[in-house]
Amino acid sequence: MTTTSNKSQLAIIFFTVFLYLVGFGVVIPIIPLLSKNFGATALQTGLLLSVYSLMQFLFSPFWGRLSDRMGRRPILLFCLLGEGLSYILFAWARSLEWLFVARLLAGFFGASLSTASAYISDITPKHERSKGMALIGAAFGLGFVVGPALGGLLAVWGHHINQAPHFDTSFSFCWVAALCFANFLFGIKFLKESLSEKSESAAKKKRFSVMWHYLNIKTVGALMTVFLLSSLAMSGMEATLILFMGDKFQWTIKQVSFGFAYIGLIIIFTQGFLVRRMLPKFGERQVLRVGLVCFAVGLTTIAISDTLFGMAIAMTLLSLGNGLSNPSVLGSISLLTDPKEQGAAMGVTQSMASLGRILGPAIGGALYGSVAMTAPFWVSGTLAFAALAIVIINFKLIPDHARVG
């Protein structure tokens, strides 16, 4: 592809991921309401949210390997179609069991996001690899800001149209399905295949043997562990921040929602603008180190903050840190792996993030309830500092291709 073509394809994959994340974000405020309507306990509601990440953990490597063999475009399009169908199932589900089936299917098809990372790897030169990965992070942040707000508005709109039981949530899910199908049609028309050389052996290895293989590669395994620790720290914080702000500062869900929107906006700014300016000047390894320092300090600052001003500093630091470190990790892993195995490598990496999102909320909740309200943030900060230590130990081995001059 030419440089101009690459830029247009980057814009298309950004839009595709953004629409996907909007659809995912729409579901977040609706699922607790819907599961409660079906008589779910708090545990069952939590599990309904967790099974999505479980399916991503299990199947991100699968879709990544398959995209190495069959190409990125067919996998992305097939999974967009599958996701649309899973949301149709959500709309028509009238029992808790069917909600779980729909959520499992959504996670299965949603695991193909690793293929989007591989797509970026295919179409970006080495010196722009991490900048390209930052686009996915910006799409994530933007989708999470827009999605929950849109989900709430759709539910209110649906209730205004018809007050029959479940109509408001079914109405919202139908819109999400329509968004997926529109994204599918958009991809058919504009998304080009990015993989120039397919790997015939890519899909033949077993899932866990593939994970073990990459985790044992020098530096690559270390960086995947950094990604896991960062995800674990972030999800543990997210799961308990609402409780913490309510107990300590008497914040309501509305105020906390604005707080999360602020985090999302900082991440969008960092990955959409700041990191793309910093990488050419400082390179991946320096940006990664600075990002993890900010992330770790921000998380621990939550635990010692007695004022809202202190919390604002903490939120800003952890958001900047997360926005700087994630694209540097993804870009470095991509640069250190075989071009024919980008899908598999990105699949395992995203699988590590999913594992963090499965374990983090459970650990954070247990610490908050059984130890102290500040315990989840001390532990999250410690995990972030552990990730920083891994980066420092492997510092000289981390790529620096983005640095110019």
Side-chain angles (χ1 to χ4, degrees):
M1 291 185 185
T2 63
T3 302
T4 304
S5 177
N6 282 355
K7 287 182 178 179
S8 65
Q9 288 301 296
L10 279 172
I12 290 166
I13 199 69
F14 170 86
F15 189 65
T16 301
V17 173
F18 165 66
L19 285 180
Y20 162 78
L21 264 300
V22 167
F24 174 78
V26 164
V27 174
I28 293 174
I30 295 174
I31 282 184
L33 173 66
L34 188 59
S35 59
K36 184 180 179 181
N37 290 343
F38 287 134
T41 64
L43 175 61
Q44 289 170 325
T45 301
L47 289 174
L48 195 57
L49 292 167
S50 296
V51 291
Y52 184 92
S53 294
L54 175 63
M55 293 299 282
Q56 286 199 316
F57 168 69
L58 292 173
F59 289 100
S60 286
F62 165 76
W63 290 121
R65 298 196 318 274
L66 203 60
S67 76
D68 285 336
R69 187 177 184 184
M70 298 181 63
R72 316 297 185 207
R73 185 176 183 272
I75 298 303
L76 287 169
L77 292 176
F78 176 74
C79 288
L80 281 172
L81 188 61
E83 273 198 288
L85 294 173
S86 76
Y87 287 121
I88 292 292
L89 184 58
F90 260 118
W92 293 104
R94 291 295 178 265
S95 69
L96 193 59
E97 291 79 9
W98 277 109
L99 282 182
F100 270 100
V101 171
R103 193 67 176 156
L104 286 165
L105 284 174
F108 173 70
F109 290 113
S112 65
L113 270 182
S114 59
T115 306
S117 298
Y119 192 104
I120 297 287
S121 302
D122 295 337
I123 64 174
T124 50
K126 289 186 175 183
H127 68 281
E128 292 187 353
R129 186 71 48 81
S130 297
K131 288 168 64 178
M133 294 298 175
L135 277 179
I136 288 186
F140 263 73
L142 194 57
F144 273 117
V145 170
V146 174
L150 182 60
L153 289 172
L154 286 171
V156 170
W157 185 18
H159 185 73
H160 179 73
I161 293 171
N162 190 329
Q163 296 184 17
H166 312 307
F167 180 85
D168 51 353
T169 52
S170 295
F171 178 80
S172 301
F173 283 125
C174 284
W175 272 98
V176 177
L179 193 65
C180 289
F181 293 139
N183 205 357
F184 169 74
L185 295 174
F186 174 83
I188 285 179
K189 184 170 178 61
F190 295 106
L191 194 66
K192 298 178 182 177
E193 179 55 60
S194 64
L195 191 62
S196 57
E197 189 175 353
K198 298 174 184 177
S199 173
E200 289 301 319
S201 61
K204 295 180 180 178
K205 295 179 182 178
K206 293 183 179 179
R207 182 186 307 115
F208 290 106
S209 65
V210 170
M211 291 184 185
W212 186 249
H213 167 71
Y214 283 105
L215 288 171
N216 279 282
I217 296 177
K218 188 176 182 180
T219 311
V220 171
L223 288 171
M224 287 182 176
T225 303
V226 167
F227 207 58
L228 168 62
L229 292 172
S230 297
S231 174
L232 198 58
M234 190 74 173
S235 60
M237 178 277 296
E238 290 171 339
T240 52
L241 185 64
I242 293 176
L243 298 174
F244 181 79
M245 294 303 291
D247 290 341
K248 192 162 187 175
F249 299 104
Q250 290 72 56
W251 272 28
T252 64
I253 186 66
K254 179 181 178 181
Q255 291 166 311
V256 175
S257 296
F258 282 123
F260 275 117
Y262 174 73
I263 292 173
L265 289 171
I266 294 293
I267 291 175
I268 292 165
F269 168 75
T270 305
Q271 298 206 23
F273 176 80
L274 189 60
V275 75
R276 297 173 66 80
R277 269 71 183 169
M278 290 181 65
L279 281 167
K281 189 173 182 179
F282 301 107
E284 285 93 347
R285 61 176 72 147
Q286 293 285 4
V287 172
L288 176 55
R289 183 166 62 178
V290 170
L292 286 173
V293 168
C294 292
F295 186 53
V297 171
L299 288 166
T300 50
T301 300
I302 297 175
I304 62 174
S305 293
D306 291 320
T307 65
L308 288 174
F309 179 72
M311 286 299 300
I313 293 174
M315 293 298 103
T316 302
L317 283 173
L318 76 87
S319 304
L320 283 170
N322 183 267
L324 290 173
S325 59
N326 279 1
S328 301
V329 172
L330 289 171
S332 297
I333 291 171
S334 174
L335 290 165
L336 289 166
T337 51
D338 191 316
K340 294 181 182 179
E341 298 180 359
Q342 292 295 307
M346 291 298 104
V348 174
T349 306
Q350 294 298 338
S351 189
M352 292 298 102
S354 298
L355 181 60
R357 289 191 293 270
I358 293 167
L359 299 177
I363 294 171
L367 289 169
Y368 193 95
S370 303
V371 181
M373 68 165 64
T374 57
F377 310 108
W378 286 116
V379 171
S380 288
T382 301
L383 291 170
F385 276 116
L388 176 62
I390 293 172
V391 167
I392 291 171
I393 291 168
N394 293 276
F395 192 70
K396 295 292 184 182
L397 301 174
I398 296 172
D400 215 21
H401 293 301
R403 188 172 182 178
V404 177

